[in-house]
PDB file of all heavy atoms in Angstrom:
ATOM      1  N   PHE A 137      -3.484  -7.722  18.443  1.00 97.00           N
ATOM      2  CA  PHE A 137      -2.364  -6.784  18.366  1.00 97.00           C
ATOM      3  C   PHE A 137      -1.143  -7.404  17.705  1.00 97.00           C
ATOM      4  O   PHE A 137      -0.995  -8.616  17.624  1.00 97.00           O
ATOM      5  CB  PHE A 137      -2.004  -6.243  19.757  1.00 97.00           C
ATOM      6  CG  PHE A 137      -1.397  -7.252  20.709  1.00 97.00           C
ATOM      7  CD1 PHE A 137      -0.029  -7.371  20.846  1.00 97.00           C
ATOM      8  CD2 PHE A 137      -2.212  -8.061  21.486  1.00 97.00           C
ATOM      9  CE1 PHE A 137       0.527  -8.281  21.720  1.00 97.00           C
ATOM     10  CE2 PHE A 137      -1.666  -8.984  22.377  1.00 97.00           C
ATOM     11  CZ  PHE A 137      -0.292  -9.089  22.501  1.00 97.00           C
ATOM     12  N   VAL A 138      -0.303  -6.520  17.185  1.00 97.00           N
ATOM     13  CA  VAL A 138       0.968  -6.902  16.584  1.00 97.00           C
ATOM     14  C   VAL A 138       2.034  -6.150  17.373  1.00 97.00           C
ATOM     15  O   VAL A 138       1.857  -4.971  17.681  1.00 97.00           O
ATOM     16  CB  VAL A 138       1.006  -6.446  15.102  1.00 97.00           C
ATOM     17  CG1 VAL A 138       2.374  -6.727  14.492  1.00 97.00           C
ATOM     18  CG2 VAL A 138      -0.094  -7.117  14.301  1.00 97.00           C
ATOM     19  N   ARG A 139       3.148  -6.816  17.703  1.00 98.00           N
ATOM     20  CA  ARG A 139       4.227  -6.122  18.405  1.00 98.00           C
ATOM     21  C   ARG A 139       5.159  -5.475  17.390  1.00 98.00           C
ATOM     22  O   ARG A 139       5.420  -6.061  16.341  1.00 98.00           O
ATOM     23  CB  ARG A 139       5.024  -7.110  19.262  1.00 98.00           C
ATOM     24  CG  ARG A 139       4.213  -7.707  20.402  1.00 98.00           C
ATOM     25  CD  ARG A 139       4.993  -8.802  21.091  1.00 98.00           C
ATOM     26  NE  ARG A 139       5.209  -9.931  20.210  1.00 98.00           N
ATOM     27  CZ  ARG A 139       6.246 -10.751  20.281  1.00 98.00           C
ATOM     28  NH1 ARG A 139       7.193 -10.556  21.199  1.00 98.00           N
ATOM     29  NH2 ARG A 139       6.362 -11.775  19.459  1.00 98.00           N
ATOM     30  N   ILE A 140       5.612  -4.277  17.706  1.00 98.00           N
ATOM     31  CA  ILE A 140       6.616  -3.633  16.848  1.00 98.00           C
ATOM     32  C   ILE A 140       7.835  -3.312  17.716  1.00 98.00           C
ATOM     33  O   ILE A 140       7.718  -2.565  18.692  1.00 98.00           O
ATOM     34  CB  ILE A 140       6.064  -2.333  16.236  1.00 98.00           C
ATOM     35  CG1 ILE A 140       4.895  -2.652  15.290  1.00 98.00           C
ATOM     36  CG2 ILE A 140       7.177  -1.588  15.480  1.00 98.00           C
ATOM     37  CD1 ILE A 140       4.388  -1.470  14.502  1.00 98.00           C
ATOM     38  N   PHE A 141       8.964  -3.904  17.388  1.00 98.00           N
ATOM     39  CA  PHE A 141      10.195  -3.546  18.100  1.00 98.00           C
ATOM     40  C   PHE A 141      10.728  -2.272  17.460  1.00 98.00           C
ATOM     41  O   PHE A 141      11.047  -2.252  16.272  1.00 98.00           O
ATOM     42  CB  PHE A 141      11.207  -4.689  18.021  1.00 98.00           C
ATOM     43  CG  PHE A 141      10.826  -5.861  18.885  1.00 98.00           C
ATOM     44  CD1 PHE A 141      10.139  -6.952  18.351  1.00 98.00           C
ATOM     45  CD2 PHE A 141      11.104  -5.850  20.245  1.00 98.00           C
ATOM     46  CE1 PHE A 141       9.760  -8.019  19.163  1.00 98.00           C
ATOM     47  CE2 PHE A 141      10.730  -6.920  21.060  1.00 98.00           C
ATOM     48  CZ  PHE A 141      10.054  -8.002  20.521  1.00 98.00           C
ATOM     49  N   SER A 142      10.810  -1.210  18.251  1.00 98.00           N
ATOM     50  CA  SER A 142      11.198   0.099  17.707  1.00 98.00           C
ATOM     51  C   SER A 142      12.678   0.400  17.976  1.00 98.00           C
ATOM     52  O   SER A 142      13.337  -0.278  18.767  1.00 98.00           O
ATOM     53  CB  SER A 142      10.333   1.198  18.346  1.00 98.00           C
ATOM     54  OG  SER A 142      10.642   1.322  19.714  1.00 98.00           O
ATOM     55  N   LYS A 143      13.174   1.421  17.290  1.00 98.00           N
ATOM     56  CA  LYS A 143      14.540   1.940  17.457  1.00 98.00           C
ATOM     57  C   LYS A 143      15.600   0.883  17.139  1.00 98.00           C
ATOM     58  O   LYS A 143      16.651   0.806  17.793  1.00 98.00           O
ATOM     59  CB  LYS A 143      14.736   2.521  18.872  1.00 98.00           C
ATOM     60  CG  LYS A 143      13.683   3.590  19.222  1.00 98.00           C
ATOM     61  CD  LYS A 143      14.045   4.421  20.420  1.00 98.00           C
ATOM     62  CE  LYS A 143      12.909   5.386  20.776  1.00 98.00           C
ATOM     63  NZ  LYS A 143      13.174   6.266  21.887  1.00 98.00           N
ATOM     64  N   CYS A 144      15.318   0.036  16.137  1.00 98.00           N
ATOM     65  CA  CYS A 144      16.239  -1.047  15.810  1.00 98.00           C
ATOM     66  C   CYS A 144      17.557  -0.552  15.227  1.00 98.00           C
ATOM     67  O   CYS A 144      18.515  -1.326  15.123  1.00 98.00           O
ATOM     68  CB  CYS A 144      15.556  -2.063  14.894  1.00 98.00           C
ATOM     69  SG  CYS A 144      14.390  -3.046  15.873  1.00 98.00           S
ATOM     70  N   ASP A 145      17.635   0.726  14.858  1.00 98.00           N
ATOM     71  CA  ASP A 145      18.926   1.287  14.414  1.00 98.00           C
ATOM     72  C   ASP A 145      19.918   1.364  15.563  1.00 98.00           C
ATOM     73  O   ASP A 145      21.127   1.464  15.345  1.00 98.00           O
ATOM     74  CB  ASP A 145      18.704   2.689  13.825  1.00 98.00           C
ATOM     75  CG  ASP A 145      18.009   3.614  14.801  1.00 98.00           C
ATOM     76  OD1 ASP A 145      16.772   3.486  14.994  1.00 98.00           O
ATOM     77  OD2 ASP A 145      18.676   4.460  15.417  1.00 98.00           O
ATOM     78  N   LYS A 146      19.421   1.294  16.792  1.00 97.00           N
ATOM     79  CA  LYS A 146      20.284   1.465  17.974  1.00 97.00           C
ATOM     80  C   LYS A 146      20.972   0.176  18.412  1.00 97.00           C
ATOM     81  O   LYS A 146      21.811   0.197  19.310  1.00 97.00           O
ATOM     82  CB  LYS A 146      19.440   1.971  19.156  1.00 97.00           C
ATOM     83  CG  LYS A 146      18.931   3.385  19.003  1.00 97.00           C
ATOM     84  CD  LYS A 146      19.962   4.364  19.506  1.00 97.00           C
ATOM     85  CE  LYS A 146      19.351   5.725  19.764  1.00 97.00           C
ATOM     86  NZ  LYS A 146      20.380   6.689  20.123  1.00 97.00           N
ATOM     87  N   VAL A 147      20.569  -0.969  17.823  1.00 96.00           N
ATOM     88  CA  VAL A 147      21.039  -2.263  18.312  1.00 96.00           C
ATOM     89  C   VAL A 147      21.454  -3.115  17.118  1.00 96.00           C
ATOM     90  O   VAL A 147      20.818  -3.049  16.061  1.00 96.00           O
ATOM     91  CB  VAL A 147      19.864  -2.946  19.083  1.00 96.00           C
ATOM     92  CG1 VAL A 147      20.217  -4.342  19.524  1.00 96.00           C
ATOM     93  CG2 VAL A 147      19.453  -2.105  20.292  1.00 96.00           C
ATOM     94  N   ASN A 148      22.519  -3.937  17.246  1.00 97.00           N
ATOM     95  CA  ASN A 148      22.907  -4.771  16.103  1.00 97.00           C
ATOM     96  C   ASN A 148      21.995  -5.989  15.973  1.00 97.00           C
ATOM     97  O   ASN A 148      21.217  -6.306  16.873  1.00 97.00           O
ATOM     98  CB  ASN A 148      24.395  -5.153  16.171  1.00 97.00           C
ATOM     99  CG  ASN A 148      24.698  -6.077  17.336  1.00 97.00           C
ATOM    100  OD1 ASN A 148      23.828  -6.837  17.784  1.00 97.00           O
ATOM    101  ND2 ASN A 148      25.914  -6.017  17.849  1.00 97.00           N
ATOM    102  N   SER A 149      22.099  -6.671  14.819  1.00 96.00           N
ATOM    103  CA  SER A 149      21.100  -7.706  14.512  1.00 96.00           C
ATOM    104  C   SER A 149      21.149  -8.876  15.501  1.00 96.00           C
ATOM    105  O   SER A 149      20.127  -9.466  15.820  1.00 96.00           O
ATOM    106  CB  SER A 149      21.248  -8.188  13.081  1.00 96.00           C
ATOM    107  OG  SER A 149      22.536  -8.670  12.906  1.00 96.00           O
ATOM    108  N   ILE A 150      22.330  -9.176  16.029  1.00 97.00           N
ATOM    109  CA  ILE A 150      22.423 -10.278  17.009  1.00 97.00           C
ATOM    110  C   ILE A 150      21.622  -9.923  18.261  1.00 97.00           C
ATOM    111  O   ILE A 150      20.868 -10.725  18.794  1.00 97.00           O
ATOM    112  CB  ILE A 150      23.905 -10.547  17.378  1.00 97.00           C
ATOM    113  CG1 ILE A 150      24.626 -11.058  16.140  1.00 97.00           C
ATOM    114  CG2 ILE A 150      24.025 -11.539  18.541  1.00 97.00           C
ATOM    115  CD1 ILE A 150      26.126 -11.155  16.287  1.00 97.00           C
ATOM    116  N   ASN A 151      21.801  -8.682  18.693  1.00 96.00           N
ATOM    117  CA  ASN A 151      21.088  -8.273  19.898  1.00 96.00           C
ATOM    118  C   ASN A 151      19.586  -8.086  19.666  1.00 96.00           C
ATOM    119  O   ASN A 151      18.787  -8.252  20.582  1.00 96.00           O
ATOM    120  CB  ASN A 151      21.720  -7.021  20.491  1.00 96.00           C
ATOM    121  CG  ASN A 151      23.009  -7.371  21.207  1.00 96.00           C
ATOM    122  OD1 ASN A 151      23.084  -8.385  21.898  1.00 96.00           O
ATOM    123  ND2 ASN A 151      24.052  -6.577  20.991  1.00 96.00           N
ATOM    124  N   ILE A 152      19.218  -7.753  18.429  1.00 97.00           N
ATOM    125  CA  ILE A 152      17.775  -7.680  18.123  1.00 97.00           C
ATOM    126  C   ILE A 152      17.180  -9.081  18.295  1.00 97.00           C
ATOM    127  O   ILE A 152      16.165  -9.266  18.971  1.00 97.00           O
ATOM    128  CB  ILE A 152      17.518  -7.155  16.682  1.00 97.00           C
ATOM    129  CG1 ILE A 152      17.956  -5.685  16.572  1.00 97.00           C
ATOM    130  CG2 ILE A 152      16.052  -7.305  16.294  1.00 97.00           C
ATOM    131  CD1 ILE A 152      17.851  -5.078  15.183  1.00 97.00           C
ATOM    132  N   LYS A 153      17.864 -10.087  17.722  1.00 97.00           N
ATOM    133  CA  LYS A 153      17.368 -11.477  17.832  1.00 97.00           C
ATOM    134  C   LYS A 153      17.277 -11.898  19.288  1.00 97.00           C
ATOM    135  O   LYS A 153      16.312 -12.529  19.721  1.00 97.00           O
ATOM    136  CB  LYS A 153      18.310 -12.434  17.089  1.00 97.00           C
ATOM    137  CG  LYS A 153      17.988 -12.483  15.611  1.00 97.00           C
ATOM    138  CD  LYS A 153      18.688 -13.648  14.948  1.00 97.00           C
ATOM    139  CE  LYS A 153      18.606 -13.481  13.444  1.00 97.00           C
ATOM    140  NZ  LYS A 153      19.858 -13.768  12.747  1.00 97.00           N
ATOM    141  N   LYS A 154      18.322 -11.541  20.045  1.00 97.00           N
ATOM    142  CA  LYS A 154      18.360 -11.903  21.464  1.00 97.00           C
ATOM    143  C   LYS A 154      17.153 -11.309  22.199  1.00 97.00           C
ATOM    144  O   LYS A 154      16.474 -11.967  22.983  1.00 97.00           O
ATOM    145  CB  LYS A 154      19.672 -11.350  22.058  1.00 97.00           C
ATOM    146  CG  LYS A 154      20.117 -12.060  23.305  1.00 97.00           C
ATOM    147  CD  LYS A 154      21.464 -11.542  23.769  1.00 97.00           C
ATOM    148  CE  LYS A 154      21.338 -11.102  25.201  1.00 97.00           C
ATOM    149  NZ  LYS A 154      22.308 -10.127  25.636  1.00 97.00           N
ATOM    150  N   ARG A 155      16.877 -10.045  21.899  1.00 97.00           N
ATOM    151  CA  ARG A 155      15.773  -9.353  22.566  1.00 97.00           C
ATOM    152  C   ARG A 155      14.425  -9.973  22.191  1.00 97.00           C
ATOM    153  O   ARG A 155      13.559 -10.203  23.036  1.00 97.00           O
ATOM    154  CB  ARG A 155      15.824  -7.873  22.142  1.00 97.00           C
ATOM    155  CG  ARG A 155      15.048  -6.870  22.888  1.00 97.00           C
ATOM    156  CD  ARG A 155      15.131  -6.770  24.384  1.00 97.00           C
ATOM    157  NE  ARG A 155      16.282  -7.167  25.138  1.00 97.00           N
ATOM    158  CZ  ARG A 155      17.324  -6.400  25.459  1.00 97.00           C
ATOM    159  NH1 ARG A 155      17.367  -5.153  25.087  1.00 97.00           N
ATOM    160  NH2 ARG A 155      18.310  -6.867  26.178  1.00 97.00           N
ATOM    161  N   VAL A 156      14.288 -10.311  20.885  1.00 97.00           N
ATOM    162  CA  VAL A 156      13.031 -10.924  20.428  1.00 97.00           C
ATOM    163  C   VAL A 156      12.817 -12.256  21.164  1.00 97.00           C
ATOM    164  O   VAL A 156      11.702 -12.562  21.609  1.00 97.00           O
ATOM    165  CB  VAL A 156      13.064 -11.122  18.891  1.00 97.00           C
ATOM    166  CG1 VAL A 156      11.901 -11.984  18.420  1.00 97.00           C
ATOM    167  CG2 VAL A 156      13.037  -9.771  18.181  1.00 97.00           C
ATOM    168  N   LEU A 157      13.913 -13.016  21.327  1.00 97.00           N
ATOM    169  CA  LEU A 157      13.799 -14.311  22.031  1.00 97.00           C
ATOM    170  C   LEU A 157      13.445 -14.116  23.509  1.00 97.00           C
ATOM    171  O   LEU A 157      12.640 -14.853  24.061  1.00 97.00           O
ATOM    172  CB  LEU A 157      15.113 -15.093  21.918  1.00 97.00           C
ATOM    173  CG  LEU A 157      15.307 -15.798  20.580  1.00 97.00           C
ATOM    174  CD1 LEU A 157      16.691 -16.443  20.507  1.00 97.00           C
ATOM    175  CD2 LEU A 157      14.230 -16.867  20.353  1.00 97.00           C
ATOM    176  N   GLU A 158      14.047 -13.100  24.123  1.00 97.00           N
ATOM    177  CA  GLU A 158      13.727 -12.820  25.533  1.00 97.00           C
ATOM    178  C   GLU A 158      12.236 -12.515  25.695  1.00 97.00           C
ATOM    179  O   GLU A 158      11.588 -12.970  26.637  1.00 97.00           O
ATOM    180  CB  GLU A 158      14.513 -11.597  26.031  1.00 97.00           C
ATOM    181  CG  GLU A 158      15.961 -11.877  26.373  1.00 97.00           C
ATOM    182  CD  GLU A 158      16.750 -10.593  26.671  1.00 97.00           C
ATOM    183  OE1 GLU A 158      16.130  -9.503  26.757  1.00 97.00           O
ATOM    184  OE2 GLU A 158      17.962 -10.691  26.790  1.00 97.00           O
ATOM    185  N   HIS A 159      11.715 -11.733  24.753  1.00 96.00           N
ATOM    186  CA  HIS A 159      10.292 -11.399  24.802  1.00 96.00           C
ATOM    187  C   HIS A 159       9.434 -12.646  24.610  1.00 96.00           C
ATOM    188  O   HIS A 159       8.405 -12.814  25.248  1.00 96.00           O
ATOM    189  CB  HIS A 159       9.938 -10.333  23.766  1.00 96.00           C
ATOM    190  CG  HIS A 159      10.112  -8.954  24.305  1.00 96.00           C
ATOM    191  ND1 HIS A 159       9.097  -8.264  24.920  1.00 96.00           N
ATOM    192  CD2 HIS A 159      11.202  -8.164  24.374  1.00 96.00           C
ATOM    193  CE1 HIS A 159       9.559  -7.092  25.316  1.00 96.00           C
ATOM    194  NE2 HIS A 159      10.830  -7.007  25.009  1.00 96.00           N
ATOM    195  N   ARG A 160       9.898 -13.487  23.707  1.00 95.00           N
ATOM    196  CA  ARG A 160       9.177 -14.736  23.440  1.00 95.00           C
ATOM    197  C   ARG A 160       9.092 -15.566  24.729  1.00 95.00           C
ATOM    198  O   ARG A 160       8.020 -16.020  25.115  1.00 95.00           O
ATOM    199  CB  ARG A 160       9.955 -15.487  22.349  1.00 95.00           C
ATOM    200  CG  ARG A 160       9.260 -16.651  21.790  1.00 95.00           C
ATOM    201  CD  ARG A 160      10.152 -17.410  20.800  1.00 95.00           C
ATOM    202  NE  ARG A 160       9.735 -18.803  20.832  1.00 95.00           N
ATOM    203  CZ  ARG A 160       8.628 -19.227  20.270  1.00 95.00           C
ATOM    204  NH1 ARG A 160       7.866 -18.397  19.611  1.00 95.00           N
ATOM    205  NH2 ARG A 160       8.264 -20.484  20.372  1.00 95.00           N
ATOM    206  N   GLU A 161      10.248 -15.686  25.404  1.00 94.00           N
ATOM    207  CA  GLU A 161      10.291 -16.445  26.661  1.00 94.00           C
ATOM    208  C   GLU A 161       9.326 -15.856  27.685  1.00 94.00           C
ATOM    209  O   GLU A 161       8.595 -16.568  28.355  1.00 94.00           O
ATOM    210  CB  GLU A 161      11.715 -16.416  27.264  1.00 94.00           C
ATOM    211  CG  GLU A 161      12.749 -17.195  26.479  1.00 94.00           C
ATOM    212  CD  GLU A 161      12.387 -18.657  26.374  1.00 94.00           C
ATOM    213  OE1 GLU A 161      12.065 -19.254  27.403  1.00 94.00           O
ATOM    214  OE2 GLU A 161      12.391 -19.190  25.233  1.00 94.00           O
ATOM    215  N   SER A 162       9.335 -14.520  27.802  1.00 93.00           N
ATOM    216  CA  SER A 162       8.472 -13.874  28.799  1.00 93.00           C
ATOM    217  C   SER A 162       7.003 -14.107  28.470  1.00 93.00           C
ATOM    218  O   SER A 162       6.192 -14.393  29.364  1.00 93.00           O
ATOM    219  CB  SER A 162       8.691 -12.364  28.840  1.00 93.00           C
ATOM    220  OG  SER A 162      10.017 -12.078  29.068  1.00 93.00           O
TER     221      SER A 162
END
Side-chain angles (χ1 to χ4, degrees):
F137 69 95
V138 175
R139 294 173 294 151
I140 295 187
F141 287 96
S142 68
K143 305 195 184 182
C144 285
D145 56 284
K146 291 273 197 186
V147 175
N148 67 28
S149 58
I150 295 171
N151 284 319
I152 293 176
K153 276 193 193 136
K154 202 175 125 204
R155 195 51 27 89
V156 169
L157 281 175
E158 282 172 8
H159 272 269
R160 190 185 151 74
E161 291 300 311
S162 304

